[in-house]
Amino acid sequence: MTIEYDLTIEDMVALTQYHSERSPRENRRRRVVQGVIALVFLLLLFSAVDSIRKQGADLSASWIAVSSVPMICPTILLVLVFSTGVRRWSTNRSVHKAFPDVEPGGTIASQKLTVSADEIHVQADAGEMALAWDEVADISKTDERIFVFGASEQALVIPRRAFADQAAYDAFYDELQSYRVRSSN
């Protein structure tokens, strides 16, 4: 089966978010950053509490507030690093920076995707990629797109608009899943 479609900026944003959520390398990097920021936060919290404890009971509210000021920055960083909304915003921003001349809804590339019993083959303006079924780690579907994630962290997006109707879209997804199941047996 072969389908052809245009890849839009919104498809790239969705693909980048999907890849970010499923990539073991990205998840490790995110956990390291989160751990470092949490450690800095805890050290600053300990330092602020220790400073207040050493000063005794006759501290003014303003002195305690000033002693807590160093906690503001790591607290903001904790919120930013652990927030999925901020991650999504950052991903969206990075895709739009990578394609600055592409307007919303604009085409980034045209793709030709061929599915066979052996592999998924994608031919695009910039090159080609083949993904054997035993390398497929995940296939996911939303109302708008099908995502394929490879074991070596390649990812593909197939938009719903590449199909004549919802039934064709669902049948294509089912076909992908059946090829994947057959390759794992």
Side-chain angles (χ1 to χ4, degrees):
M1 170 183 257
T2 299
I3 57 171
E4 294 185 36
Y5 54 91
D6 289 334
L7 195 64
T8 66
I9 191 88
E10 291 79 12
D11 295 330
M12 283 304 294
V13 168
L15 177 63
T16 304
Q17 289 174 350
Y18 170 82
H19 185 271
S20 175
E21 291 167 2
R22 291 193 173 51
S23 168
R25 186 178 323 137
E26 180 66 23
N27 288 331
R28 277 191 303 275
R29 186 192 66 77
R30 187 172 26 250
R31 281 193 302 271
V32 167
V33 169
Q34 289 172 340
V36 168
I37 290 174
L39 181 63
V40 168
F41 176 81
L42 290 173
L43 288 173
L44 288 172
L45 178 64
F46 174 76
S47 175
V49 169
D50 188 53
S51 176
I52 292 169
R53 185 184 54 79
K54 286 181 179 176
Q55 292 298 319
D58 53 330
L59 298 175
S60 68
S62 60
W63 192 90
I64 292 174
V66 168
S67 295
S68 301
V69 167
M71 299 297 297
I72 293 171
C73 185
T75 302
I76 292 170
L77 285 174
L78 279 174
V79 170
L80 293 178
V81 170
F82 284 92
S83 170
T84 57
V86 171
R87 262 197 316 272
R88 287 180 187 267
W89 172 83
S90 175
T91 300
N92 188 0
R93 184 172 178 264
S94 69
V95 170
H96 283 277
K97 282 177 78 174
F99 302 99
D101 298 332
V102 180
E103 296 294 322
T107 299
I108 293 175
S110 295
Q111 292 191 334
K112 180 179 178 181
L113 184 131
T114 303
V115 176
S116 69
D118 298 325
E119 66 182 10
I120 300 173
H121 183 265
V122 180
Q123 186 175 4
D125 300 338
E128 295 184 37
M129 179 181 98
L131 185 62
W133 286 110
D134 61 348
E135 297 172 358
V136 174
D138 180 51
I139 301 174
S140 300
K141 179 175 85 165
T142 67
D143 291 340
E144 296 297 318
R145 294 169 186 89
I146 295 172
F147 299 97
V148 179
F149 189 77
S152 54
E153 298 197 17
Q154 313 97 312
L156 304 171
V157 60
I158 303 120
R160 158 69 182 86
R161 68 181 174 284
F163 302 91
D165 56 25
Q166 186 66 38
Y169 178 67
D170 294 337
F172 183 78
Y173 174 75
D174 293 341
E175 183 177 350
L176 291 178
Q177 290 290 15
S178 69
Y179 278 128
R180 181 170 178 238
V181 168
R182 276 186 258 168
S183 75
S184 64
N185 293 335

